[in-house]
Amino acid sequence: MTIGEKISYLQSNFTTLPQLFHHPYYIELFRKRYTLNIPLFAKEILGTRLTYQQIDICNLHNPYGGRLAVPSGHGIGKTKLIAVLALHHIFTAYNSITRIHAPKLTQVTTLSFKEISLLLSNLKYNPIKIGDVEFKRNSWYFLADMIQQNIKLIFVKGARKTWYIEPATAPKAEPNALSGQHNWSYLLILEEAIGIEETHLVASLGALTEKRNSAIAFSQHTNTVHLFHQFVTTLNRANGGVWSVYKADSEKSPMVSLKAIKNFRETYTEDEYRVRVKGEPPTTNIGMLLSGQDMDICYSDEVLKQHQEYYYPTQAYSTDIAYKGIRNSSVTIEAKMTTTKDEFERIKTVVSVTNIKVYNKETALRPTEVSKQVANTLALENLRHNEDILEYLACIDATAGGDEASLVLQEKISEIEAPTPISVYPITWGDKKRLTNREISIYRNERAKAYIQLRNAIIEGRFSIAIEKYRARIKREASNIPF
């Protein structure tokens, strides 16, 4: 029989993968050809071409018990690659289980599962070229009908409980919800591994008990304290461990344009660029947004001297409101503000903190009373009216207990007969409304944007603290913000 006749025989006589899997023709024409050649499987069965980076990852991935860590930058095609790996496992390993574990369930169900669905559609309907011969329809199209999918599971018909691809996550601090998964043919795919709680990660890895169980971990290398960092460093094969490592650099990806790379260079700090583009670990943050060394920059003589030379047309008051024990004290930070331009002609803000007022438990001030204090300070400032100041800016935390305090501040300031304009800027930290479309792709919310902009200003020498008050506390608190 010819190859075409053998495949036609399989098409006509088998409707489920469990029946088909051990047939000599399937072993000869499918399993022997594709089990150890994932790029060929992607091309000939799923009708998709992989980049050289994706091919390298496929070749390093050992489906017979390997461990592979992939620290990566943006845009390497990770979601499609995960879908290819999952489908390869379901078609080449009998009664196989593939678990795609991510920080959030929707990452799997709306991204990876969608990509799997698209590739199955390719298999079923798209024309395909094998060698120099182009077929109007893939000869193996009937395999797609042997797979069923719902929002929670992708499984083999007739073997729903034993042969499937599943998403995985667990409630916070409940790793036991991820245990109990053991199987001879088991593939664990960790998506954004560094975002998964370590106890949850350990629970999933604990299921890799059989010789043929394999794992592949994808993640941006955002900190050096997570278990993923150990996969890449102390637990890698070069150090006698079991994890192979492949660094997927966005600069070298054919899927990432030069324009995007240029934008990343202009947008990210050097450390962010290392992590989010180069696939490398941060150098100075050690898992935190800022280090104590970063905070020392704010107090350095060089930065303070440089800031004395600026003209500051804006006087700012930023107030953070304590609420029901979440914080012990409300705080108002007084600062001078101006703008400058960097080498790319982008406008940058320069801030010099001149005073810090803490309204702690001893003062027994309610949030609304704090607002009145700020309004009074602004009124006094306006009476003194410094002609060099063109605007007063009052920023206030308007979330939770700060909501009422924000309204009081706006009302009190509207009553002030101010020779210099006073603007009130209520801040809702969890909000995205003020973010541009581009910012939404970078920041989760207002708080995230504020943290990153503060960090950038500190590292670039645009943020100084001209008083010693609370220096130890500021340094301690700022160096404990997770990256």
Side-chain angles (χ1 to χ4, degrees):
M1 293 177 72
T2 65
I3 291 175
E5 289 172 336
K6 289 178 179 179
I7 295 177
S8 294
Y9 173 82
L10 297 178
Q11 290 173 4
S12 304
N13 290 277
F14 297 95
T15 57
T16 68
L17 197 54
Q19 296 170 340
L20 172 70
F21 196 82
H22 295 295
H23 192 279
Y25 294 167
Y26 189 72
I27 295 171
E28 174 196 352
L29 302 175
F30 195 97
R31 288 168 57 191
K32 283 186 177 179
R33 184 173 178 81
Y34 300 120
T35 298
L36 294 178
N37 197 332
I38 302 173
L40 190 65
F41 166 82
K43 178 184 173 183
E44 293 186 353
I45 301 302
L46 303 179
T48 187
R49 289 184 178 273
L50 302 180
T51 67
Y52 83 91
Q53 288 178 321
Q54 292 170 325
I55 290 172
D56 287 346
I57 292 167
C58 287
N59 291 337
L60 277 172
H61 167 60
N62 177 5
Y64 293 106
R67 305 286 186 274
L68 176 62
V70 184
S72 63
H74 294 302
I76 66 153
K78 177 188 62 182
T79 303
K80 182 170 82 170
L81 184 55
I82 287 173
V84 169
L85 291 168
L87 285 173
H88 174 265
H89 195 232
I90 207 169
F91 284 126
T92 61
Y94 187 75
N95 264 356
S96 65
I97 293 175
T98 302
R99 168 178 282 184
I100 306 175
H101 188 174
K104 293 184 179 180
L105 198 64
T106 52
Q107 285 178 255
V108 182
T109 56
T110 62
L111 295 175
S112 297
F113 271 27
K114 181 180 179 181
E115 193 66 41
I116 289 171
S117 180
L118 290 172
L119 291 178
L120 285 173
S121 180
N122 276 6
L123 168 58
K124 190 170 183 179
Y125 298 111
N126 284 7
I128 193 157
K129 190 174 183 180
I130 300 178
D132 295 326
V133 182
E134 186 164 343
F135 298 89
K136 289 184 179 180
R137 194 178 189 190
N138 189 339
S139 299
W140 294 101
Y141 72 90
F142 64 100
L143 292 180
D145 290 327
M146 297 181 178
I147 306 296
Q148 288 187 313
Q149 179 175 351
N150 58 42
I151 196 170
K152 295 181 179 179
L153 201 67
I154 295 170
F155 58 94
V156 170
K157 283 184 181 177
R160 177 173 181 150
K161 294 184 179 180
T162 58
W163 202 339
Y164 53 83
I165 302 166
E166 66 169 0
T169 188
K172 191 173 178 64
E174 292 185 26
N176 291 338
L178 295 162
S179 59
Q181 191 66 277
H182 300 277
N183 197 62
W184 172 245
S185 296
Y186 179 44
L187 169 62
L188 173 63
I189 300 174
L190 301 169
E191 184 175 2
E192 289 304 332
I194 221 159
I196 300 171
E197 279 190 49
E198 285 203 24
T199 52
H200 293 184
L201 199 60
V202 170
S204 272
L205 290 168
L208 304 175
T209 55
E210 302 284 353
K211 187 177 180 180
R212 187 171 167 161
N213 294 169
S214 55
I216 179 166
F218 296 91
S219 189
Q220 290 191 343
H221 201 155
T222 55
N223 70 58
T224 57
V225 295
H226 192 272
L227 190 57
F228 179 79
H229 178 69
Q230 305 307 315
F231 298 163
V232 178
T233 54
T234 56
L235 298 177
N236 70 22
R237 294 175 71 86
N239 288 319
V242 297
W243 288 84
S244 299
V245 179
Y246 182 86
K247 186 181 72 174
D249 186 338
S250 300
E251 285 185 344
K252 299 176 181 178
S253 171
M255 301 176 72
V256 182
S257 68
L258 289 174
K259 182 179 179 181
I261 294 296
K262 183 181 178 183
N263 183 53
F264 293 148
R265 282 197 177 279
E266 292 179 356
T267 303
Y268 293 148
T269 63
E270 184 178 344
D271 229 24
E272 280 182 309
Y273 192 84
R274 284 172 54 85
V275 171
R276 302 188 185 282
V277 178
K278 301 290 290 179
E280 297 174 358
T283 55
T284 57
N285 293 329
I286 317 300
M288 298 299 168
L289 188 77
L290 292 159
S291 66
Q293 189 176 9
D294 292 330
M295 293 310 299
D296 286 338
I297 295 173
C298 308
Y299 293 92
S300 69
D301 291 339
E302 184 180 338
V303 169
L304 290 170
K305 185 178 179 181
Q306 173 189 313
H307 280 232
Q308 288 170 3
E309 298 171 1
Y310 281 111
Y311 159 57
Y312 293 96
T314 302
Q315 180 76 20
Y317 296 79
S318 178
T319 303
D320 197 13
I321 297 293
Y323 180 61
K324 290 187 177 178
I326 295 174
R327 287 183 301 277
N328 289 333
S329 52
S330 296
V331 178
T332 294
I333 296 172
E334 299 178 18
K336 300 183 297 183
M337 289 174 56
T338 189
T339 55
T340 186
K341 287 185 178 180
D342 65 8
E343 64 271 27
F344 299 105
E345 292 297 304
R346 294 174 302 187
I347 295 174
K348 298 282 189 174
T349 303
V350 179
V351 177
S352 181
V353 174
T354 55
N355 194 18
I356 299 171
K357 292 182 180 177
V358 176
Y359 308 97
N360 53 33
K361 283 182 177 178
E362 287 71 28
T363 61
L365 283 180
R366 298 185 41 176
T368 52
E369 295 301 316
V370 172
S371 293
K372 291 174 183 176
Q373 291 259 354
V374 174
N376 288 338
T377 302
L378 280 161
L380 290 172
E381 282 285 336
N382 265 277
L383 287 175
R384 287 196 287 265
H385 184 47
N386 185 335
E387 291 183 0
D388 290 336
I389 297 175
L390 304 181
E391 180 190 20
Y392 288 93
L393 176 64
C395 300
I396 184 166
D397 171 17
T399 50
D403 185 29
E404 184 182 356
S406 169
L407 296 174
V408 169
L409 180 60
Q410 292 176 70
E411 180 186 350
K412 288 294 178 185
I413 285 179
S414 67
E415 297 172 357
I416 299 173
E417 293 183 8
T420 305
I422 301 175
S423 303
V424 181
Y425 191 95
I427 301 169
T428 49
W429 292 115
D431 205 352
K432 290 184 177 182
K433 292 177 183 176
R434 290 193 177 98
L435 301 183
T436 64
N437 289 336
R438 181 174 167 278
E439 287 172 339
I440 287 172
S441 69
I442 302 171
Y443 309 117
R444 181 176 295 177
N445 51 32
E446 287 266 18
R447 183 186 299 276
K449 177 184 173 183
Y451 275 147
I452 296 299
Q453 290 191 334
L454 171 64
R455 198 268 304 271
N456 292 349
I458 289 172
I459 291 172
E460 293 169 15
R462 295 184 286 105
F463 187 89
S464 70
I465 304 177
I467 54 169
E468 283 293 313
K469 197 190 302 185
Y470 305 116
R471 179 170 179 170
R473 177 177 170 182
I474 290 169
K475 187 173 178 178
R476 182 182 71 249
E477 293 182 2
S479 59
N480 275 283
I481 303 170
F483 186 93

